[in-house]
Amino acid sequence: MNQVNSFTFFVGFIHYCIWMSALNHVLTQKFSRRPMLLLELLWYPVIYFVQVLALPYLSILRSMGGLLTLGIPVAFLYKDRFSRRSMVLIIVLATTLLVELILAFIFPSQILEEGLAQQPLATQIYGQTVYIFILGLAMFVEAQLLRRYESSLSRRELLLYTLFPLSHLVLLAGWFRFLAINPK
């Protein structure tokens, strides 16, 4: 069950562009604009096809797609301190998870149970449009806030701000696991 088609690739690429735009706005790039853009554009198809074609559906590694998709570029394409890069990555992933939880309240339960990729194309387009709009808005607000307070935070404060969304990610992962075991 790979669900590979041009629509999912295109939508995933838009999500990736939103994430990378936020990261580029907040973090200091190692390379000039053109090589950075080229590396970012080449990375997405590679990781997409590795995740979709090489990793089994519903595997642990495939479910960590956001971490693989964004974690590797954050590790190698930016020159900020490790603590800052880690904080920004965790906040971006936590914000993405928050957007997905918001969508869980918007979409009917039938769509959530079957999965958006199993819906008719019109429903997929509607769902992805809503998701892209909310994700773009959330990443814009997040990038603005992180840029505004970047110089006034100490390492200790950065660590505390990183642990807060990380703890929530762990709690939400446990909650989702509980719901998967006990669906009703």
Side-chain angles (χ1 to χ4, degrees):
M1 184 175 213
N2 284 330
Q3 301 174 358
V4 178
N5 60 42
S6 57
F7 180 72
T8 59
F9 180 82
F10 177 71
V11 167
F13 183 71
I14 291 173
H15 298 169
Y16 175 76
C17 288
I18 291 170
W19 291 322
M20 293 310 292
S21 296
L23 292 171
N24 287 338
H25 186 70
V26 175
L27 298 173
T28 307
Q29 301 172 5
K30 279 187 182 177
F31 309 105
S32 62
R33 174 173 256 148
R34 284 189 185 182
M36 188 73 169
L37 184 60
L38 181 64
L39 289 169
E40 290 170 353
L41 290 177
L42 289 175
W43 175 246
Y44 178 74
V46 169
I47 194 65
Y48 178 85
F49 287 112
V50 165
Q51 287 176 356
V52 172
L53 298 176
L55 300 175
Y57 186 69
L58 294 178
S59 68
I60 297 291
L61 284 176
R62 189 165 173 182
S63 67
M64 294 173 44
L67 188 57
L68 294 172
T69 304
L70 297 177
I72 294 171
V74 166
F76 295 107
L77 298 180
Y78 299 99
K79 60 183 176 181
D80 295 284
R81 293 183 317 230
F82 177 76
S83 58
R84 177 160 174 73
R85 286 182 289 156
S86 299
M87 180 206 60
V88 170
L89 176 64
I90 290 169
I91 290 174
V92 165
L93 293 173
T95 303
T96 302
L97 185 58
L98 178 64
V99 169
E100 291 178 6
L101 285 174
I102 290 170
L103 291 178
F105 291 110
I106 294 173
F107 294 137
S109 62
Q110 177 189 2
I111 291 176
L112 297 173
E113 289 172 6
E114 294 174 4
L116 191 58
Q118 302 301 322
Q119 301 303 314
L121 185 59
T123 305
Q124 289 183 39
I125 291 171
Y126 167 74
Q128 291 296 344
T129 303
V130 171
Y131 182 84
I132 288 168
F133 174 75
I134 295 173
L135 180 67
L137 181 64
M139 288 296 142
F140 174 77
V141 169
E142 174 183 293
Q144 295 301 320
L145 289 172
L146 287 171
R147 284 293 288 203
R148 183 174 188 181
Y149 297 109
E150 73 180 325
S151 61
S152 62
L153 296 176
S154 68
R155 282 190 179 189
R156 183 170 187 247
E157 290 170 326
L158 283 174
L159 178 64
L160 289 174
Y161 287 127
T162 302
L163 290 177
F164 181 73
L166 183 61
S167 68
H168 281 72
L169 280 175
V170 170
L171 288 171
L172 286 171
W175 182 60
F176 282 130
R177 184 178 173 111
F178 175 76
L179 287 176
I181 293 171
N182 304 314
K184 295 188 184 202

